[in-house]
Amino acid sequence: MARASIRIKKGDVVYVLSGKEKGKTGKVLAINHDKQRAEVEKLMVFKRHYNLALLDPESKKPTRIGTKVLENGKRVRIAKRSGAQIDQA
């Protein structure tokens, strides 16, 4: 079975979209790619990566994630809401 692409990484600050912890934010401590689960600091373990959304570094609101290739050929994640770069180049 092909591994699903999870764009949320360890150390990201995320917003919970559904479940009993809906509306809370926390830092991702670990990602389990096989089970598609994320462990979030001070919150329960979340199933299915689509229950979490990355926080935009500029507006501090939930955003979708896109990718962009820089001039040096490095691929970085960007926030769809503001266009801000998430990863360090």
Side-chain angles (χ1 to χ4, degrees), residues 4-40:
S5 173
I6 298 177
R7 295 180 177 173
I8 295 172
K9 297 181 180 179
K10 180 179 174 181
D12 288 344
V13 179
V14 293
Y15 177 87
V16 181
L17 297 173
S18 64
K20 70 177 187 178
E21 305 282 356
K22 181 178 180 177
K24 296 183 181 179
T25 61
K27 187 176 182 181
V28 176
L29 300 176
I31 296 281
N32 185 339
H33 292 283
D34 296 330
K35 294 184 179 180
Q36 291 189 352
R37 294 182 184 200
E39 184 177 334
V40 181

Side-chain angles (χ1 to χ4, degrees), residues 13-78:
V13 179
V14 293
Y15 177 87
V16 181
L17 297 173
S18 64
K20 70 177 187 178
E21 305 282 356
K22 181 178 180 177
K24 296 183 181 179
T25 61
K27 187 176 182 181
V28 176
L29 300 176
I31 296 281
N32 185 339
H33 292 283
D34 296 330
K35 294 184 179 180
Q36 291 189 352
R37 294 182 184 200
E39 184 177 334
V40 181
E41 182 179 44
K42 299 179 186 173
L43 302 176
M44 61 177 271
V45 174
F46 287 96
K47 299 178 182 177
R48 306 200 187 276
H49 64 278
Y50 55 73
N51 288 340
L52 301 174
L54 194 69
L55 282 183
D56 190 329
E58 290 183 1
S59 66
K60 304 298 182 201
K61 293 183 178 179
T63 183
R64 291 175 295 143
I65 304 168
T67 58
K68 180 180 179 181
V69 179
L70 301 177
E71 291 98 19
N72 62 4
K74 183 168 181 161
R75 184 183 300 251
V76 293
R77 295 179 299 160
I78 60 166

